[in-house]
Amino acid sequence: MQDILCAKVSTKNGFYKNHSPVDLVNIYSSPLYVYNEEIIIERVKRMKSLIKSKNFKPYYSVKANNNSYILRTIHKLGMGFETVSLEEVKYLIKLGISVDKIISTPNNIGYEELRSLINLGVDLTLDSLDQLQMAVNIDNKRKFKIRINSGIGLGHSNKVVTGGKNTKFGFDETELLELLNTDFLTEKIDGLMHHMGSLFLDEDGYIKGARKLLEYAKLFNNIKTVDFGGGFGVSYNLRDSQNDLNIANLSYELTKLVDEYKFYDCEIRIEPGRYIVAESCILLGKITSKKVSNSKIYVGCDIGFNQMPRTALYGSYHDLEFYSKNMKSRTRQRVNIVGNICESGDYIATDREFYELFPDDIIGVLTCGAYGYSMSSNYNMRFRPAEIMILEDGSVRLIRRREELDDFINLMEF
């Protein structure tokens, strides 16, 4: 039986079912994204019942993870999709998902992209007054929704806080008042949404923002949709005081809020992405090297920030596991775990204590299902890993093959 350093969703509670992480790496190579289907299904069901209203509809935020198998699984469970680009919309349509299941909230797009979205019949939420005017010029017969900056921002990094005074998103109060003074444009609005940021673990701020959005909705005459956005957090670090988001309390408060404002005939929306997929995935890799430099220990592995960019981009923390038969017989060391990309910012963990690590030990980076593969790249000409899904019945399915050199060359002209 393998020893686990810090278990969250792995062998101690059946994440890998009857499979060994070591065996999976031997079969599918390393690095390797490993997903658990049961976790995704459970999270979708939880989100679908969040608000007790006959007109409640949750939409999965595609940017969090766009693997086609995952999207089809979510679709089968009856959830819609929130998109931010024309390419995401076309991709969903290619997968057989009908346009009436897709909403789109782009920002700063040009005329041609906006016209294409309108021609496809996508339910559009627009980000600014000039984007709304452009859309009305393209089609003055249809209704649109607008994104409000409610003045409240949430998020784990200032790079993902999308509400408040320092963000490019949404109608602020001044622009909203300008819109309300323009009767022609106001009549084109049938819905409001906001998104305050990503990864909140305290529901109070979300409830406060939702209340403010409903107050804005009262200023309009023909509101058919109110969208509270996403940002539902998961706990990446089990060793500090973070707690999981209290979904039961959030459900109660949001339901009470909708009842209070009597928006019974309105479609009420949310847009979770991270919450659905983050904890469904562990990224496996191999320890490749070890060195001491200026009295610091650097443990190298084959997971670079091209394959999982969150730590380099946001300074994010991820819990780690290590898989070896003799792990706990080793001494403990304070180390930096780094990748194989030619950048000083290419790290997975800094100044953290683990059992001593050696080449060929297997590392598991937890909570990688959201903004891991979807933000990956070919930087340093390193190729993206394979993705596999551990299905409900315990079998393993390859859901995206590992990239190869020919994939890269075929995009070039010689």
Side-chain angles (χ1 to χ4, degrees), residues 31-57:
L32 177 66
Y33 276 92
V34 183
Y35 298 87
N36 182 297
E37 186 176 43
E38 285 183 344
I39 294 173
I40 295 172
I41 291 170
E42 190 276 334
R43 296 296 190 273
V44 170
K45 290 178 178 178
R46 195 179 290 185
M47 288 292 97
K48 284 184 67 180
S49 63
L50 184 69
I51 300 176
K52 315 305 179 186
S53 167
K54 65 178 182 179
N55 295 319
F56 170 60
K57 291 186 179 180

Side-chain angles (χ1 to χ4, degrees), residues 97-117:
I97 295 166
S98 61
V99 173
D100 65 334
K101 303 293 184 185
I102 304 170
I103 63 176
S104 190
T105 315
N107 77 98
N108 298 326
I109 60 173
Y111 179 87
E112 291 302 325
E113 182 170 355
L114 184 55
R115 186 176 67 172
S116 295
L117 289 167

